Amino acid sequence: MEKILTDKVKEAVFSLYNRQVDEKQIQLQKTSKDFAGDITLVVFPFLGFSKKKPEETGKEIGNYLQENVKEITGFNTISGFLNLVMDNKYWTDLFGKMVNDRDFGFKKKGSLNKTILVEFSSPNTNKPLHLGHIRNNLIGYALSKIFEANGYRVKKVNIVNDRGIHICKSMLAWQKWGEGITPEKAGKKGDKLVGDFYVKFEQEYKKQIQFLIEKGANKDKAVRSAPLMKEAHKMLRRWEDGEQEIIDLWNRMNSWVYKGFDKTYKSLGVSFDKIYYESDTYKTGREIVLSALEKEILFKKEDGSVWVDLSEEGLDEKVLLRSDGTTVYMTQDLGTAFQRYNDYEFFRQIYVVGNEQNYHFQVLVLLLDKIGYKWAKDIYHLSYGMVELPEGKMKSREGTVVDADDLISEMIDTARDMSEELGKLDTYSEKQKEDIFRIIGLGALKYFILKVDPRKNMIFNPKESIDFNGNTGPFIQYTYARIKSVIRKATEKNIKIPDKTDVRFEPNKKEIELIKLLAEFPKIVQDADFQMTPAVIANYCYELTKEFNQFYHDFSILNAEDDETRIFRLQLSEVTGRIIEKGMGLLGIEVPERM
RNA sequence: GGCCCCAUAGUUCAAGGGAUAGAACGGAAGUUUCCUAAACUUCAGAUUCAGGUUCGAGUCCUGGUGGGGCUACCA
């Protein structure tokens, strides 16, 4: 419709004022609720052509459109806005299509024949996942779903930073103070156990620094020369030399961590198509750097370290290989990117990584381009904002880091408490109930995080932020459950809901409003792709739900005036439920049959 | 110091240069003999400041203030 209108407006302006208009000047928008009409054309841009007042220009164009577009039955102009009134038949026909089309709003999977790679999660193996990772995972997973719904082939990938000094710290602490403990013996998730040893290292290390300072060393020197740190570096070198004892320990402790991560991923409901490991990709990175060095794209300093000079691009010099030949983060990322292009020949690669790494990705893209990879331009850093607590940033030192597992189970506990207080599920088995609590608790958490524009920082108050009323996941889930309940009741009464419709009567205003909102779904799915933000899906689901709740409140579905209306309302409910389910599905949020 | 990002009701979030800036929570007041009241209805309440561009600015530009990030041979 929008396309037809755009063309017709062009025609109108040409026939009325003999001028060609640029499509960009044709602004069509939803008519604001406070005015009569369905679609609004902003006429200000045409005043220069018409040389007439806004109202008059609007009327002239309106007349032309009404005569030439059969779906338009009327119009009004208010200052520079031409509000077009569409025939109800236009909306009910559209509704007919939705009833019939189970894939309404989605393009066929892979129909574009283009692959998008989405990297998200990217944990270090020395600590458990926390709230920041949750935001990262949810954004990455939702985006993957959104791309898929828009016809792309999607590969979800994870890059695990499994090597480096931070893991050595945990390993060393375990050797020194672990007394052979394992996750099984400790009764603890492996990622948590390894994280504990990381903390232990930092504590002991700090004591040593303090001791050295008291003995008269300056701070810098103390930081560098503390025996524990020296030992950790020694361990890193032994790891890089491939010493069996170290490699075995490394494998063992990492496997604990992976088991723990898997559990967290599973309870969050995210998954990956492929997991890359930096212990693997850093070698590729080094090769890339060395060969670029040969081609003199990079240069070597006297101490043997390898650098790239990005001063022409307005940046600095950046180190790529240390003087001892070991690699840095950037080197690994070069290797990872290269391997991924080899694996998938992606059309686009999205890195879901926090905005504190903006500079890093700017360098990465420039560097790949300089080295000569034509796909460098296809890399996009989805730079999401920090999650902060009411009192500021999460700080591990102050113990304010919100653990992912803890948060998830707290959410489920809250859902359990609320549900049991309401007592609506008393007839269900424990297992059924637990499943519903899980769906609601996670729904609350995921929706709360995803409704915020990823690019913005957000504040998360673990105690107060998460509601189950208002603009929340459970609110939307509740509406879905009510719809399902009505449909069950209809089935019990032997009312069949056909999957075709031909509405011959005039629906009421609220019903038309609902249809209009439902009709927006395909555009919303596209917008989420273009803007790369799940937030537009979340906001849409909320708006749709609110609209449905008003309809549900104002009109009876099962006790409608006549059969025709009853069937129509059931279909309207069914389609709404389906769109809610699909929309929430794009966010990775499940919807319960009852709650 | 240099570079980048952000600033909207008491609070947490919306608003592709377009109409009277939307919600939610919290506050005040209502709705249930009726399909799930985790719902619905009503009221009060906001664009950090100073300029500029534009027919039109929360949105674009310049500057100030306030907050965050980056600026490692860390990741």
Side-chain angles (χ1 to χ4, degrees):
Chain A
M1 194 66 217
E2 207 161 305
K3 180 85 184 72
I4 297 170
L5 278 177
T6 305
D7 289 346
K8 289 291 174 186
V9 171
K10 239 195 260 181
E11 251 178 64
V13 172
F14 187 73
S15 107
L16 288 165
Y17 314 122
N18 200 25
R19 295 289 287 269
Q20 288 287 352
V21 282
D22 189 353
E23 284 201 18
K24 278 181 204 144
Q25 298 201 42
I26 300 177
Q27 298 173 55
L28 292 165
Q29 52 191 252
K30 201 162 61 158
T31 301
S32 159
K33 275 204 170 164
D34 305 329
F35 302 96
D38 299 297
I39 299 172
T40 294
L41 174 75
V42 184
V43 302
F44 289 109
F46 313 128
L47 299 186
F49 303 155
S50 71
K51 308 260 186 325
K52 287 174 186 163
K53 286 181 182 156
E55 297 251 356
E56 226 172 303
T57 310
K59 267 181 198 148
E60 288 179 349
I61 298 175
N63 272 323
Y64 183 95
L65 292 176
Q66 187 172 354
E67 276 166 32
N68 291 282
V69 184
K70 66 175 192 308
E71 290 90 350
I72 295 175
T73 56
F75 67 88
N76 62 80
T77 57
I78 296 164
S79 74
F81 300 92
L82 169 61
N83 302 321
L84 302 166
V85 180
M86 309 297 286
D87 190 354
N88 271 355
K89 182 123 188 359
Y90 168 71
W91 297 113
T92 52
D93 283 354
L94 209 55
F95 177 64
K97 279 183 203 149
M98 295 178 215
V99 171
N100 188 258
D101 179 9
R102 316 263 341 157
D103 294 320
F104 180 71
F106 283 19
K107 293 204 184 68
K108 221 178 143 209
K109 252 185 203 177
S111 57
L112 293 175
N113 202 26
K114 288 173 178 165
T115 301
I116 296 187
L117 222 70
V118 184
E119 175 199 296
F120 60 96
S121 207
S122 327
N124 289 353
T125 55
N126 62 325
K127 277 186 227 162
L129 304 179
H130 57 72
L131 180 53
H133 292 109
I134 290 188
R135 188 178 195 190
N136 179 307
N137 280 289
L138 296 182
I139 292 169
Y141 189 77
L143 281 180
S144 305
K145 291 279 178 202
I146 288 164
F147 293 143
E148 225 164 57
N150 280 283
Y152 293 96
R153 220 179 288 115
V154 175
K155 294 292 169 190
K156 304 187 293 283
V157 300
N158 190 354
I159 173 81
V160 179
N161 179 16
D162 58 346
R163 54 164 231 121
I165 191 73
H166 50 285
I167 288 97
C168 290
K169 289 178 182 176
S170 294
M171 285 157 62
L172 189 65
W174 183 86
Q175 272 187 336
K176 283 186 177 304
W177 301 291
E179 296 167 1
I181 199 161
T182 63
E184 290 76 26
K185 281 188 214 163
K188 218 173 199 172
K189 276 179 85 221
D191 51 336
K192 298 274 160 64
L193 186 71
V194 171
D196 289 347
F197 283 106
Y198 184 78
V199 171
K200 176 78 178 162
F201 176 95
E202 292 294 338
Q203 284 167 349
E204 296 296 326
Y205 174 44
K206 208 173 281 169
K207 278 189 215 162
Q208 290 187 348
I209 293 172
Q210 198 53 41
F211 181 72
L212 288 173
I213 290 174
E214 272 162 26
K215 281 180 74 179
N218 71 33
K219 203 184 169 196
D220 277 4
K221 194 176 175 216
V223 165
R224 267 179 287 121
S225 62
L228 264 177
M229 191 49 109
K230 281 187 161 172
E231 271 189 84
H233 274 287
K234 192 174 157 203
M235 189 177 252
L236 181 60
R237 274 197 301 279
R238 290 172 70 194
W239 182 90
E240 296 213 354
D241 291 342
E243 252 182 59
Q244 203 55 48
E245 187 197 338
I246 301 300
I247 297 289
D248 286 345
L249 177 60
W250 175 73
N251 273 325
R252 192 168 175 213
M253 288 183 73
N254 269 345
S255 76
W256 296 346
V257 172
Y258 297 149
K259 230 173 151 183
F261 282 174
D262 281 349
K263 214 167 166 184
T264 308
Y265 288 141
K266 202 174 169 206
S267 59
L268 250 194
V270 302
S271 58
F272 303 93
D273 297 301
K274 179 154 181 161
I275 297 178
Y276 290 85
Y277 297 92
E278 290 191 350
S279 58
D280 179 30
T281 62
Y282 82 100
K283 291 174 194 154
T284 312
R286 176 154 44 205
E287 284 160 24
I288 291 169
V289 169
L290 291 175
S291 101
L293 179 64
E294 254 173 58
K295 292 182 196 147
E296 295 182 348
I297 297 166
L298 309 175
F299 70 95
K300 197 177 233 178
K301 289 195 177 173
E302 308 84 55
D303 62 4
S305 55
V306 179
W307 297 71
V308 62
D309 181 6
L310 293 171
S311 50
E312 269 177 44
E313 287 82 0
L315 302 177
D316 261 345
E317 293 179 350
K318 190 89 191 163
V319 69
L320 295 173
L321 289 177
R322 297 189 186 102
S323 47
D324 64 1
T326 56
T327 59
V328 293
Y329 179 46
M330 184 62 73
T331 328
Q332 297 169 167
D333 255 11
L334 288 174
T336 312
F338 177 83
Q339 283 194 12
R340 283 182 189 158
Y341 189 78
N342 266 8
D343 290 345
Y344 296 109
E345 289 188 27
F346 51 76
F347 161 74
R348 222 165 31 175
Q349 175 170 210
I350 314 293
Y351 285 84
V352 181
V353 178
N355 62 13
E356 76 271 21
Q357 295 195 34
N358 286 355
Y359 181 70
H360 172 80
F361 280 97
Q362 208 184 336
V363 172
L364 178 68
V365 171
L366 285 173
L367 190 53
L368 285 167
D369 183 62
K370 219 175 167 92
I371 294 173
Y373 297 116
K374 59 182 189 319
W375 42 265
K377 61 174 176 17
D378 303 323
I379 285 178
Y380 181 84
H381 173 206
L382 185 93
S383 162
Y384 68 90
M386 302 281 98
V387 186
E388 284 171 26
L389 302 174
E391 56 275 15
K393 275 193 83 171
M394 289 191 285
K395 291 190 181 113
S396 49
R397 252 178 266 156
E398 292 163 25
T400 54
V401 175
V402 178
D403 178 77
D405 298 314
D406 292 350
L407 181 58
I408 292 167
S409 50
E410 275 166 33
M411 294 305 303
I412 296 173
D413 289 345
T414 308
R416 185 181 300 112
D417 291 347
M418 289 197 73
S419 294
E420 278 174 353
E421 198 177 317
L422 290 168
K424 293 181 186 180
L425 300 171
D426 293 347
T427 58
Y428 291 81
S429 75
E430 284 307 308
K431 209 182 152 207
Q432 284 172 316
K433 281 202 274 190
E434 277 307 314
D435 198 44
I436 293 169
F437 302 153
R438 183 188 60 81
I439 290 173
I440 297 170
L442 274 170
L445 176 62
K446 291 184 179 185
Y447 185 87
F448 183 83
I449 288 174
L450 288 174
K451 76 174 178 189
V452 181
D453 183 334
R455 280 158 257 263
K456 291 193 177 164
N457 288 358
M458 65 179 291
I459 295 179
F460 183 93
N461 186 333
K463 293 207 167 52
E464 293 165 24
S465 285
I466 301 255
D467 273 304
F468 288 68
N469 302 315
N471 185 358
T472 67
F475 173 88
I476 296 166
Q477 291 171 322
Y478 175 69
T479 302
Y480 180 83
R482 286 214 293 198
I483 289 172
K484 283 293 170 178
S485 171
V486 171
I487 289 172
R488 269 196 305 275
K489 289 218 158 70
T491 312
E492 283 164 18
K493 290 186 176 176
N494 265 325
I495 303 170
K496 292 218 165 59
I497 308 173
D499 58 3
K500 284 207 177 85
T501 188
D502 182 15
V503 182
R504 291 169 189 284
F505 64 97
E506 293 284 309
N508 65 43
K509 223 177 148 196
K510 204 80 210 165
E511 290 162 340
I512 291 290
E513 281 305 313
L514 247 182
I515 293 175
K516 280 198 218 172
L517 253 182
L518 290 167
E520 277 179 46
F521 186 57
K523 193 173 173 340
I524 296 292
V525 174
Q526 273 180 35
D527 271 6
D529 170 20
F530 293 149
Q531 296 184 44
M532 286 197 215
T533 160
V536 306
I537 303 278
N539 292 332
Y540 170 81
C541 286
Y542 175 63
E543 209 185 325
L544 176 63
T545 302
K546 226 170 37 159
E547 193 71 35
F548 183 86
N549 279 339
Q550 287 165 10
F551 160 74
Y552 181 92
H553 180 266
D554 293 348
F555 302 97
S556 181
I557 298 165
L558 291 173
N559 298 318
E561 307 85 271
D562 52 68
D563 285 353
E564 201 182 16
T565 309
R566 176 162 46 216
I567 293 292
F568 168 71
R569 288 187 181 160
L570 278 166
Q571 284 179 321
L572 193 54
S573 306
E574 198 273 331
V575 173
T576 304
R578 213 197 293 158
I579 299 294
I580 289 175
E581 185 179 17
K582 284 161 93 172
M584 294 294 265
L586 291 177
L587 303 177
I589 301 175
E590 293 174 71
V591 283
E593 296 293 308
R594 339 171 176 235
M595 67 186 270

